[in-house]
Amino acid sequence: MPAPGCLYSGGVNVRVADRIGIGKGITGTVISGVGRMAGRNVVITRSIPSERRGALTHADGTRLAESADLARRLRMPFVFIVASSGADVGDGVAALHGWGKAAAAIAGCSGIVPVLMAATGPVVSGPALLLGLADLVVMSAEAVAFVSGPQMVAEFTGVEVGLHELGGAATHARSSGLCSVEADDVEGALAGLLEYLPSHADELPPSEPSADPEGRSTPELRDLIPERKSATYDVREVVRIVVDDGEFRELWSRWAGQIVTGFCRIGGIPVGIVANQPRILAGTLDIAASQKAARFVRLCDSFNLPLVTLVDTPGFLPGKDLEWRGMIRHGAELAFAYAQATVPRVCLILRKAFGGAYIVMDSRGIGNDICLAWPAAEIAVMGASGAVQILHRGIDATERGEREAGYEESFLNPWPASERGLVDQVLDPADTRIVLASVLRQLCTKREHMVGRKHDAGPQ
């Protein structure tokens, strides 16, 4: 049962808003208060879809803005659970003004407190854009989010499209990258994400003791990567073997699948994982993969989660369309995110690390703290076939094979990089968890002095 004077909804106790000064005297489709989630205080705001289909008036926008401002001042996570048909037409331009105030207040929370949102039904027009301001978005199967609905799409483009095809949870999980997690229990999913995040940017994320020993050997990793270089494996298996109790909370699992991102713990320390996925497009980087990884790196850096990057990529995905759509800008976006990150950063090269993709995956040149490699790692400008084709044009097939074998022996191994100090340790895969846990403990006191500036102007 809820405590006296509390609102109760879906397992979350929320103290009555008026008692803490969120929107005193305001009536509308939004309620807000301070409640408990994942064992800590959070500011929880919820739209009421049964009232005018959740349409937001100026008063609702004001309550949203005051709730976000309170979260920022009190250094508490801001959680918004929403189902809304958009700005209230009857309230006119005032409703838009209220929505704008809410957007500005939520943007003011960015990088200060975690902003988590959940869509539980239709989220249309302005409220849909609020979802785009969140650090992480959870969507239920009933959720639908879009700026322009099916009717407007049909009128302007002549294409008939259904609600869920246009903006359902599956669409945003697979195609747009808006949906971080799909879940029927959105509040449980929100609480699960908060378990890895601090309440604000001035504290460390919560550690959690584990019965899984830091000194556990991982000999199964020796046989995980196939001997045939073109064969694939699931990098998520590497993650699950290494992390505490095999628990890995993956984010954006269906968007840009050639890169894997998510939260875990190693030795009880919350960690952000970024990993190439050889099973999809051989782990090559394209625009969506670069955006996904850069976004996650910035999130971890904002909230003090160390980054562990697992590298197995042959390069950037070639293509005219990709180049025209901005592969240069978005590839640079990933390099920029890593280069700016001040949290502890550990890079582990599992297999292929070629060309520019190797550099942007948190290489020593970008500024990682520790660079590790497995003995099978291949760190080079490119693979043997491409290198021989450039260096030795016009040779016959027999000589080409000999040259490729010589190139592989001389360059496609971790030792040249190790000799130059670009790799700190070549380790037995069986020692991976032991070494990662050790270096993360050593790096936990890392601090960097940041030169003040208004904001960066990096690639977007």
Side-chain angles (χ1 to χ4, degrees):
M1 293 295 293
C6 289
L7 301 174
Y8 185 79
S9 176
V12 178
N13 284 340
V14 183
R15 286 184 289 174
V16 175
D18 287 347
R19 296 191 180 183
I20 57 173
I22 304 180
K24 282 188 176 181
I26 295 174
T27 59
T29 64
V30 170
I31 59 173
S32 188
V34 174
R36 297 285 290 177
M37 186 176 280
R40 75 185 80 173
N41 288 334
V42 299
V43 175
I44 304 173
T45 304
R46 185 190 305 272
S47 69
I48 308 172
S50 59
E51 298 286 336
R52 301 192 313 277
R53 298 176 64 191
L56 301 183
T57 63
H58 176 268
D60 296 319
T62 299
R63 186 187 289 273
L64 262 172
E66 291 188 3
S67 301
D69 283 339
L70 185 71
R72 178 176 50 80
R73 293 197 307 271
L74 297 182
R75 293 297 196 264
M76 294 180 186
F78 177 67
V79 174
F80 183 29
I81 300 171
V82 58
S84 171
S85 59
D88 192 312
V89 176
D91 211 24
V93 71
L96 297 178
H97 178 63
W99 173 87
K101 288 169 63 178
I106 294 170
C109 292
S110 180
I112 299 174
V113 297
V115 177
L116 275 61
M117 297 190 189
T120 58
V123 186
V124 180
S125 189
L129 292 174
L130 293 181
L131 293 175
L133 297 176
D135 295 312
L136 297 168
V137 175
V138 176
M139 297 183 74
S140 70
E142 296 77 25
V144 177
F146 45 72
V147 176
S148 302
Q151 183 177 352
M152 188 171 292
V153 170
E155 289 178 0
F156 275 79
T157 69
V159 176
E160 300 287 341
V161 62
L163 279 173
H164 285 274
E165 182 184 358
L166 178 63
T171 295
H172 287 299
R174 182 183 59 250
S175 301
S176 76
L178 174 69
C179 177
S180 312
V181 176
E182 298 171 87
D184 292 329
D185 177 12
V186 296
E187 291 178 8
L190 290 168
L193 294 172
L194 282 173
E195 290 177 359
Y196 294 91
L197 295 169
S199 292
H200 51 82
D202 295 327
E203 71 176 20
L204 295 174
S207 296
E208 187 173 293
S210 171
D212 193 352
E214 294 182 22
R216 172 172 58 82
S217 181
T218 54
E220 57 269 50
L221 291 178
R222 290 173 177 162
D223 302 318
L224 187 65
I225 294 183
E227 290 187 11
R228 187 163 56 90
K229 294 184 179 182
S230 59
T232 66
Y233 62 94
D234 190 345
V235 77
R236 290 172 296 190
E237 286 302 309
V238 177
V239 176
R240 293 190 183 103
I241 290 169
V242 168
V243 304
D244 291 358
D245 305 306
E247 294 182 1
F248 176 53
R249 192 174 295 273
E250 188 174 357
L251 303 174
W252 302 290
S253 61
R254 294 209 281 165
W255 179 49
Q258 66 268 48
I259 203 88
V260 171
T261 56
F263 298 137
C264 66
R265 285 186 172 85
I266 298 177
I269 299 174
V271 170
I273 296 286
V274 181
N276 301 114
Q277 174 59 288
R279 291 184 63 183
I280 299 178
L281 296 176
T284 53
L285 296 176
D286 63 4
I287 288 175
S290 300
Q291 290 175 319
K292 174 179 172 178
R295 180 177 179 179
F296 183 70
V297 168
R298 288 193 295 267
L299 173 64
C300 291
D301 188 47
S302 293
F303 297 111
N304 308 315
L305 274 82
L307 284 159
V308 174
T309 304
L310 306 180
V311 182
D312 186 351
T313 177
F316 286 95
L317 185 67
K320 177 182 69 175
D321 182 60
L322 284 172
E323 297 293 346
W324 287 359
R325 285 167 46 216
M327 187 67 255
I328 293 173
R329 286 189 297 109
H330 295 293
E333 186 179 353
L334 178 54
F336 195 86
Y338 268 123
Q340 279 205 317
T342 61
V343 294
R345 290 155 49 193
V346 181
C347 175
L348 171 59
I349 301 170
L350 306 179
R351 187 168 61 172
K352 296 177 183 177
F354 292 163
Y358 151 62
I359 296 299
V360 304
M361 288 296 294
D362 202 21
S363 66
R364 175 52 51 82
I366 287 292
N368 64 43
D369 297 296
I370 298 290
C371 188
L372 309 169
W374 284 356
E378 302 175 355
I379 307 169
V381 175
M382 61 181 66
S385 177
V388 169
Q389 187 175 353
I390 291 173
L391 296 173
H392 306 285
R393 298 179 184 274
I395 59 177
D396 59 34
T398 301
E399 188 177 357
R400 180 179 295 108
E402 294 174 354
R403 294 283 188 177
E404 289 179 3
Y407 183 89
E408 289 181 3
E409 183 178 352
S410 299
F411 299 108
L412 295 190
N413 59 72
W415 305 115
S418 180
E419 291 169 0
R420 289 167 173 78
L422 306 179
V423 169
D424 297 296
Q425 181 181 351
V426 179
L427 70 152
D428 184 338
D431 296 330
T432 300
R433 174 177 166 82
I434 299 169
V435 173
L436 285 177
S438 174
V439 298
L440 286 170
R441 291 287 178 199
Q442 295 172 39
L443 292 171
C444 68
T445 57
K446 177 185 177 183
R447 299 291 185 273
E448 290 193 19
H449 175 68
M450 302 300 294
V451 178
R453 54 180 169 175
K454 186 175 180 181
H455 56 71
D456 61 67
Q460 301 290 333

